[in-house]
Amino acid sequence: MSDLTITPVTTKRERKAFVDLPFRLYKDDPHWVPPLKGEALGLITPEKNGWYSHAKVQLFLAHEGGRVVGRISAHIDTLALTMPAAQGFGPGVGQWGLMDAEREDVFVALLAKAEEWLRGQGMTRALGPISQSIWEEPGLLVQGFDHPPTIMMGHAKPDYQGWIERAGYTEVKQLFTYELDITQEFPPIVKRIIKSGEKNERIVVREVDKRRFEEEAAIILSILNDAWSDNWGFVPLTPPEIKDVGVKLKPIVFNDLIRIAELDGKPVAFMITLPDLNEPIKPLNGSLLPFGWAKLLLWLRRPKVRTMRVPLMGVVKELQSSRMASQLAFMMIEYIRRASVERYGASRGEIGWILDDNQGMRSIAETIDSRVNKVYNVYGKSL
């Protein structure tokens, strides 16, 4: 412990070391999915991540005996500072994330360094782990270590929960993911609701048109920013982020897996489903060389997966308390379920994350016989 040092990341070489550390720490974990190193570097490189347009970030590495033994990101989302405090963020709230360490003492020292940096930036409260945007990988995995995460969901060592809580942090929010067998038809009550919706001439549930990618994305974003605006942790997506996310996700956007529901000709709900990219990239161990790029390109042309993930779904606020909201949700889920099984060979679906207090979405998930398979905690502490 005597020669443990924690230093800010300032060079490309140090950023690479930041990305490389989890590959060593998780090498014996069969459920960890190695990210593509180029993507992981892009997330922490300001020029390649639109989120940095409204964020202040400092990465830290812990060194001991000439080795990297831990890492953490301390960051401030300046848009989050403008959000209502009742929704989790607000003035004075900074975050930390991308946290990994060999031992608890290293973990605690990194947390202290991140807190010191946040205090120096005028922050009075810290939330974490949020890695790094709320739209990326929020929360610490505390349940569901026995199977791999799906695309854009996090993984962690079971020890981390105790380390964080012993460092003075308390749970402020839980996020759930739900899984279900999508080869099975939904319960009779759900089928009746769907059939009723199909008879309603006011309702149209359509596929997106990838040829009009930007136009369709704008429609979805408009619904999203309205539907999620009162949720805990909400921060509106900005044009630079949308551009970067579009570039990243466009290869795994398929028309029949993303639906927009219209009522009287007006878009009022959407559902985004993505093939689980983690399945084909896991064997690549973070690299597209020498032949990984060819394998991935071949997969993208005709993806076959076990799991489909629903990362985002929303209904405009004016309908959220109505029966119409659940009807539209069930219709979109059913149409995408059919396509997932028939065209992509999928057998499993995962919905989430869903906030612990989002009773509407939790009720929909439970009505279609899905169950919680992973739980993530977000922690808070006064500085």
Side-chain angles (χ1 to χ4, degrees):
M1 178 67 181
S2 59
D3 66 343
L4 179 67
T5 60
I6 298 175
T7 57
V9 171
T10 59
T11 67
K12 288 183 178 179
R13 182 177 181 180
E14 289 166 340
R15 281 203 294 269
K16 182 179 182 299
F18 192 95
V19 166
D20 286 345
L21 176 64
F23 284 79
R24 176 164 56 83
L25 295 186
Y26 290 93
K27 65 181 176 62
D28 296 323
D29 185 337
H31 302 302
W32 182 66
V33 179
L36 294 176
K37 289 188 177 182
E39 292 290 331
L41 279 168
L43 283 175
I44 60 172
T45 302
E47 300 80 22
K48 297 182 179 181
N49 186 345
W51 174 73
Y52 276 74
S53 65
H54 56 89
K56 299 178 182 178
V57 181
Q58 182 59 66
L59 308 176
F60 294 96
L61 285 174
H63 297 264
E64 185 179 57
R67 302 166 63 243
V68 175
V69 293
R71 69 174 197 171
I72 195 170
S73 165
H75 47 273
I76 299 166
D77 187 325
T78 58
L79 276 182
L81 298 179
T82 69
M83 295 294 108
Q87 288 180 227
F89 290 158
V93 179
Q95 300 97 41
W96 53 264
L98 297 176
M99 177 74 154
D100 281 298
E102 287 188 0
R103 306 185 309 270
E104 184 171 2
D105 58 333
V106 177
F107 199 98
V108 171
L110 283 162
L111 274 177
K113 195 68 173 179
E115 292 166 2
E116 177 187 10
W117 184 85
L118 290 171
R119 279 193 295 268
Q121 299 291 319
M123 299 297 102
T124 57
R125 183 167 172 77
L127 291 180
I130 297 175
S131 303
Q132 294 172 290
S133 161
I134 191 69
W135 297 104
E136 289 167 9
E137 293 183 5
L140 174 80
L141 181 67
V142 297
Q143 178 182 317
F145 297 96
D146 59 344
H147 55 287
T150 54
I151 179 176
M152 298 173 68
M153 293 301 296
H155 191 66
K157 292 180 176 292
D159 292 340
Y160 288 0
Q161 180 177 7
W163 295 357
I164 291 171
E165 292 174 359
R166 284 192 289 274
Y169 282 83
T170 57
E171 174 197 315
V172 297
K173 185 57 62 176
Q174 285 196 317
L175 316 175
F176 301 119
T177 62
Y178 285 78
E179 69 174 355
L180 69 158
D181 180 354
I182 60 174
T183 65
Q184 301 299 310
E185 293 190 352
F186 292 140
I189 187 173
V190 176
K191 290 182 180 179
R192 289 196 296 271
I193 292 171
I194 293 168
K195 286 183 179 180
S196 172
E198 290 173 338
K199 294 176 182 177
N200 189 338
E201 295 181 356
R202 300 174 61 202
I203 296 174
V204 173
V205 176
R206 66 174 179 84
E207 298 181 359
V208 298
D209 185 349
K210 194 172 179 178
R211 294 170 301 179
R212 299 186 294 121
F213 189 82
E214 292 185 4
E215 182 182 339
E216 299 283 51
I219 291 172
I220 290 173
L221 181 66
S222 176
I223 300 172
L224 173 68
N225 281 340
D226 177 72
W228 284 53
S229 60
D230 293 334
N231 285 0
W232 182 93
F234 174 76
V235 178
L237 284 166
T238 62
E241 290 173 278
I242 297 163
K243 181 180 178 181
D244 286 350
V245 170
V247 170
K248 184 188 303 182
L249 295 184
K250 194 171 183 179
I252 54 172
V253 167
F254 298 93
N255 293 349
D256 51 354
L257 297 179
I258 301 179
R259 305 279 173 145
I260 293 175
E262 299 174 348
L263 182 65
D264 297 327
K266 176 185 176 183
V268 294
F270 75 93
M271 177 175 163
I272 294 175
T273 304
L274 301 174
D276 185 16
L277 188 62
N278 278 0
E279 292 180 21
I281 71 169
K282 185 177 181 180
L284 303 182
N285 198 34
S287 176
L288 290 175
L289 300 175
F291 303 115
W293 64 271
K295 294 177 182 177
L296 190 57
L297 185 61
L298 184 63
W299 181 88
L300 288 169
R301 288 178 178 174
R302 191 182 294 273
K304 293 292 182 180
V305 290
R306 173 175 176 254
T307 300
M308 290 285 182
R309 181 188 170 209
V310 181
L312 289 174
M313 189 174 178
V315 180
V316 293
K317 278 195 289 188
E318 65 178 286
L319 294 179
Q320 284 178 3
S321 299
S322 69
R323 292 182 180 179
M324 179 68 73
S326 58
Q327 185 168 51
L328 296 175
F330 288 137
M331 292 174 73
M332 291 187 294
I333 292 170
E334 170 61 5
Y335 299 160
I336 292 175
R337 182 194 72 81
R338 293 175 194 167
S340 298
V341 174
E342 295 169 6
R343 302 173 191 171
Y344 302 89
S347 60
R348 176 179 178 270
E350 185 174 286
I351 304 171
W353 43 271
I354 299 175
L355 292 165
D356 56 5
D357 59 358
N358 189 339
Q359 295 304 323
M361 273 307 306
R362 293 188 65 184
S363 176
I364 287 171
E366 290 161 5
T367 302
I368 58 175
D369 290 340
S370 59
R371 65 177 186 86
V372 173
N373 68 306
K374 287 183 182 287
V375 179
Y376 295 80
N377 284 358
V378 178
Y379 291 93
K381 178 183 177 181
S382 295
L383 297 177

PDB file of all heavy atoms in Angstrom, residues 349-366:
ATOM      1  N   GLY A 349     -35.795 -12.496 -24.691  1.00  0.00           N
ATOM      2  CA  GLY A 349     -35.856 -11.044 -24.734  1.00  0.00           C
ATOM      3  C   GLY A 349     -35.427 -10.461 -23.398  1.00  0.00           C
ATOM      4  O   GLY A 349     -35.574 -11.099 -22.353  1.00  0.00           O
ATOM      5  N   GLU A 350     -34.871  -9.262 -23.450  1.00  0.00           N
ATOM      6  CA  GLU A 350     -34.523  -8.548 -22.222  1.00  0.00           C
ATOM      7  C   GLU A 350     -35.019  -7.117 -22.340  1.00  0.00           C
ATOM      8  O   GLU A 350     -34.747  -6.435 -23.327  1.00  0.00           O
ATOM      9  CB  GLU A 350     -33.015  -8.572 -21.959  1.00  0.00           C
ATOM     10  CG  GLU A 350     -32.639  -7.931 -20.628  1.00  0.00           C
ATOM     11  CD  GLU A 350     -31.161  -8.068 -20.284  1.00  0.00           C
ATOM     12  OE1 GLU A 350     -30.748  -9.195 -19.909  1.00  0.00           O
ATOM     13  OE2 GLU A 350     -30.419  -7.076 -20.411  1.00  0.00           O
ATOM     14  N   ILE A 351     -35.764  -6.678 -21.352  1.00  0.00           N
ATOM     15  CA  ILE A 351     -36.343  -5.337 -21.324  1.00  0.00           C
ATOM     16  C   ILE A 351     -35.665  -4.552 -20.219  1.00  0.00           C
ATOM     17  O   ILE A 351     -35.609  -4.988 -19.070  1.00  0.00           O
ATOM     18  CB  ILE A 351     -37.863  -5.389 -21.057  1.00  0.00           C
ATOM     19  CG1 ILE A 351     -38.561  -6.277 -22.089  1.00  0.00           C
ATOM     20  CG2 ILE A 351     -38.469  -3.997 -21.062  1.00  0.00           C
ATOM     21  CD1 ILE A 351     -40.024  -6.554 -21.766  1.00  0.00           C
ATOM     22  N   GLY A 352     -35.159  -3.383 -20.541  1.00  0.00           N
ATOM     23  CA  GLY A 352     -34.561  -2.581 -19.475  1.00  0.00           C
ATOM     24  C   GLY A 352     -33.342  -1.816 -19.964  1.00  0.00           C
ATOM     25  O   GLY A 352     -32.891  -2.001 -21.097  1.00  0.00           O
ATOM     26  N   TRP A 353     -32.865  -0.916 -19.044  1.00  0.00           N
ATOM     27  CA  TRP A 353     -33.270  -0.921 -17.651  1.00  0.00           C
ATOM     28  C   TRP A 353     -34.597  -0.177 -17.383  1.00  0.00           C
ATOM     29  O   TRP A 353     -34.965   0.719 -18.123  1.00  0.00           O
ATOM     30  CB  TRP A 353     -32.164  -0.320 -16.766  1.00  0.00           C
ATOM     31  CG  TRP A 353     -31.523   0.928 -17.305  1.00  0.00           C
ATOM     32  CD1 TRP A 353     -30.435   1.014 -18.132  1.00  0.00           C
ATOM     33  CD2 TRP A 353     -31.916   2.297 -17.062  1.00  0.00           C
ATOM     34  NE1 TRP A 353     -30.112   2.316 -18.414  1.00  0.00           N
ATOM     35  CE2 TRP A 353     -31.007   3.137 -17.768  1.00  0.00           C
ATOM     36  CE3 TRP A 353     -32.930   2.910 -16.323  1.00  0.00           C
ATOM     37  CZ2 TRP A 353     -31.094   4.540 -17.757  1.00  0.00           C
ATOM     38  CZ3 TRP A 353     -33.016   4.295 -16.315  1.00  0.00           C
ATOM     39  CH2 TRP A 353     -32.104   5.091 -17.024  1.00  0.00           C
ATOM     40  N   ILE A 354     -35.248  -0.579 -16.271  1.00  0.00           N
ATOM     41  CA  ILE A 354     -36.489   0.046 -15.834  1.00  0.00           C
ATOM     42  C   ILE A 354     -36.290   0.532 -14.408  1.00  0.00           C
ATOM     43  O   ILE A 354     -35.809  -0.211 -13.548  1.00  0.00           O
ATOM     44  CB  ILE A 354     -37.668  -0.948 -15.894  1.00  0.00           C
ATOM     45  CG1 ILE A 354     -37.893  -1.435 -17.335  1.00  0.00           C
ATOM     46  CG2 ILE A 354     -38.938  -0.315 -15.344  1.00  0.00           C
ATOM     47  CD1 ILE A 354     -38.960  -2.516 -17.451  1.00  0.00           C
ATOM     48  N   LEU A 355     -36.643   1.770 -14.160  1.00  0.00           N
ATOM     49  CA  LEU A 355     -36.516   2.342 -12.814  1.00  0.00           C
ATOM     50  C   LEU A 355     -37.417   1.609 -11.827  1.00  0.00           C
ATOM     51  O   LEU A 355     -38.528   1.179 -12.175  1.00  0.00           O
ATOM     52  CB  LEU A 355     -36.895   3.824 -12.827  1.00  0.00           C
ATOM     53  CG  LEU A 355     -35.951   4.761 -13.595  1.00  0.00           C
ATOM     54  CD1 LEU A 355     -36.626   6.102 -13.826  1.00  0.00           C
ATOM     55  CD2 LEU A 355     -34.649   4.948 -12.825  1.00  0.00           C
ATOM     56  N   ASP A 356     -36.950   1.494 -10.578  1.00  0.00           N
ATOM     57  CA  ASP A 356     -37.725   0.768  -9.573  1.00  0.00           C
ATOM     58  C   ASP A 356     -39.089   1.393  -9.301  1.00  0.00           C
ATOM     59  O   ASP A 356     -40.028   0.709  -8.885  1.00  0.00           O
ATOM     60  CB  ASP A 356     -36.930   0.623  -8.272  1.00  0.00           C
ATOM     61  CG  ASP A 356     -36.454   1.955  -7.695  1.00  0.00           C
ATOM     62  OD1 ASP A 356     -36.811   3.022  -8.232  1.00  0.00           O
ATOM     63  OD2 ASP A 356     -35.703   1.928  -6.694  1.00  0.00           O
ATOM     64  N   ASP A 357     -39.239   2.707  -9.560  1.00  0.00           N
ATOM     65  CA  ASP A 357     -40.521   3.365  -9.298  1.00  0.00           C
ATOM     66  C   ASP A 357     -41.362   3.564 -10.556  1.00  0.00           C
ATOM     67  O   ASP A 357     -42.402   4.224 -10.516  1.00  0.00           O
ATOM     68  CB  ASP A 357     -40.313   4.706  -8.597  1.00  0.00           C
ATOM     69  CG  ASP A 357     -39.459   5.684  -9.409  1.00  0.00           C
ATOM     70  OD1 ASP A 357     -38.986   5.305 -10.500  1.00  0.00           O
ATOM     71  OD2 ASP A 357     -39.261   6.822  -8.946  1.00  0.00           O
ATOM     72  N   ASN A 358     -40.930   2.963 -11.671  1.00  0.00           N
ATOM     73  CA  ASN A 358     -41.703   3.066 -12.905  1.00  0.00           C
ATOM     74  C   ASN A 358     -42.729   1.929 -12.928  1.00  0.00           C
ATOM     75  O   ASN A 358     -42.556   0.904 -13.593  1.00  0.00           O
ATOM     76  CB  ASN A 358     -40.780   2.985 -14.127  1.00  0.00           C
ATOM     77  CG  ASN A 358     -41.496   3.298 -15.430  1.00  0.00           C
ATOM     78  OD1 ASN A 358     -42.714   3.206 -15.528  1.00  0.00           O
ATOM     79  ND2 ASN A 358     -40.734   3.660 -16.446  1.00  0.00           N
ATOM     80  N   GLN A 359     -43.810   2.141 -12.193  1.00  0.00           N
ATOM     81  CA  GLN A 359     -44.794   1.079 -12.030  1.00  0.00           C
ATOM     82  C   GLN A 359     -45.472   0.705 -13.341  1.00  0.00           C
ATOM     83  O   GLN A 359     -45.854  -0.457 -13.547  1.00  0.00           O
ATOM     84  CB  GLN A 359     -45.832   1.494 -10.982  1.00  0.00           C
ATOM     85  CG  GLN A 359     -45.264   1.649  -9.578  1.00  0.00           C
ATOM     86  CD  GLN A 359     -44.571   0.388  -9.084  1.00  0.00           C
ATOM     87  OE1 GLN A 359     -45.008  -0.724  -9.359  1.00  0.00           O
ATOM     88  NE2 GLN A 359     -43.467   0.558  -8.364  1.00  0.00           N
ATOM     89  N   GLY A 360     -45.654   1.671 -14.238  1.00  0.00           N
ATOM     90  CA  GLY A 360     -46.291   1.387 -15.514  1.00  0.00           C
ATOM     91  C   GLY A 360     -45.512   0.379 -16.330  1.00  0.00           C
ATOM     92  O   GLY A 360     -46.055  -0.631 -16.794  1.00  0.00           O
ATOM     93  N   MET A 361     -44.210   0.627 -16.499  1.00  0.00           N
ATOM     94  CA  MET A 361     -43.385  -0.282 -17.300  1.00  0.00           C
ATOM     95  C   MET A 361     -43.168  -1.610 -16.582  1.00  0.00           C
ATOM     96  O   MET A 361     -43.144  -2.681 -17.220  1.00  0.00           O
ATOM     97  CB  MET A 361     -42.027   0.359 -17.622  1.00  0.00           C
ATOM     98  CG  MET A 361     -42.015   1.212 -18.870  1.00  0.00           C
ATOM     99  SD  MET A 361     -42.648   0.350 -20.346  1.00  0.00           S
ATOM    100  CE  MET A 361     -41.622  -1.117 -20.380  1.00  0.00           C
ATOM    101  N   ARG A 362     -43.029  -1.574 -15.257  1.00  0.00           N
ATOM    102  CA  ARG A 362     -42.854  -2.821 -14.522  1.00  0.00           C
ATOM    103  C   ARG A 362     -44.104  -3.694 -14.644  1.00  0.00           C
ATOM    104  O   ARG A 362     -44.022  -4.920 -14.766  1.00  0.00           O
ATOM    105  CB  ARG A 362     -42.531  -2.535 -13.061  1.00  0.00           C
ATOM    106  CG  ARG A 362     -41.167  -1.873 -12.857  1.00  0.00           C
ATOM    107  CD  ARG A 362     -40.791  -1.777 -11.393  1.00  0.00           C
ATOM    108  NE  ARG A 362     -40.601  -3.110 -10.820  1.00  0.00           N
ATOM    109  CZ  ARG A 362     -40.347  -3.324  -9.528  1.00  0.00           C
ATOM    110  NH1 ARG A 362     -40.256  -2.300  -8.694  1.00  0.00           N
ATOM    111  NH2 ARG A 362     -40.193  -4.554  -9.078  1.00  0.00           N
ATOM    112  N   SER A 363     -45.269  -3.061 -14.628  1.00  0.00           N
ATOM    113  CA  SER A 363     -46.521  -3.800 -14.762  1.00  0.00           C
ATOM    114  C   SER A 363     -46.630  -4.447 -16.145  1.00  0.00           C
ATOM    115  O   SER A 363     -47.048  -5.606 -16.272  1.00  0.00           O
ATOM    116  CB  SER A 363     -47.709  -2.869 -14.529  1.00  0.00           C
ATOM    117  OG  SER A 363     -48.931  -3.532 -14.740  1.00  0.00           O
ATOM    118  N   ILE A 364     -46.230  -3.688 -17.182  1.00  0.00           N
ATOM    119  CA  ILE A 364     -46.254  -4.245 -18.544  1.00  0.00           C
ATOM    120  C   ILE A 364     -45.319  -5.450 -18.632  1.00  0.00           C
ATOM    121  O   ILE A 364     -45.669  -6.495 -19.190  1.00  0.00           O
ATOM    122  CB  ILE A 364     -45.862  -3.158 -19.562  1.00  0.00           C
ATOM    123  CG1 ILE A 364     -47.013  -2.139 -19.709  1.00  0.00           C
ATOM    124  CG2 ILE A 364     -45.510  -3.775 -20.913  1.00  0.00           C
ATOM    125  CD1 ILE A 364     -46.652  -0.914 -20.513  1.00  0.00           C
ATOM    126  N   ALA A 365     -44.117  -5.306 -18.073  1.00  0.00           N
ATOM    127  CA  ALA A 365     -43.142  -6.403 -18.116  1.00  0.00           C
ATOM    128  C   ALA A 365     -43.671  -7.639 -17.400  1.00  0.00           C
ATOM    129  O   ALA A 365     -43.510  -8.778 -17.877  1.00  0.00           O
ATOM    130  CB  ALA A 365     -41.822  -5.953 -17.493  1.00  0.00           C
ATOM    131  N   GLU A 366     -44.308  -7.440 -16.261  1.00  0.00           N
ATOM    132  CA  GLU A 366     -44.809  -8.578 -15.492  1.00  0.00           C
ATOM    133  C   GLU A 366     -46.032  -9.216 -16.152  1.00  0.00           C
ATOM    134  O   GLU A 366     -46.226 -10.433 -16.066  1.00  0.00           O
ATOM    135  CB  GLU A 366     -45.123  -8.123 -14.065  1.00  0.00           C
ATOM    136  CG  GLU A 366     -43.855  -7.800 -13.267  1.00  0.00           C
ATOM    137  CD  GLU A 366     -44.103  -6.930 -12.048  1.00  0.00           C
ATOM    138  OE1 GLU A 366     -45.293  -6.652 -11.752  1.00  0.00           O
ATOM    139  OE2 GLU A 366     -43.112  -6.525 -11.402  1.00  0.00           O
TER     140      GLU A 366
END
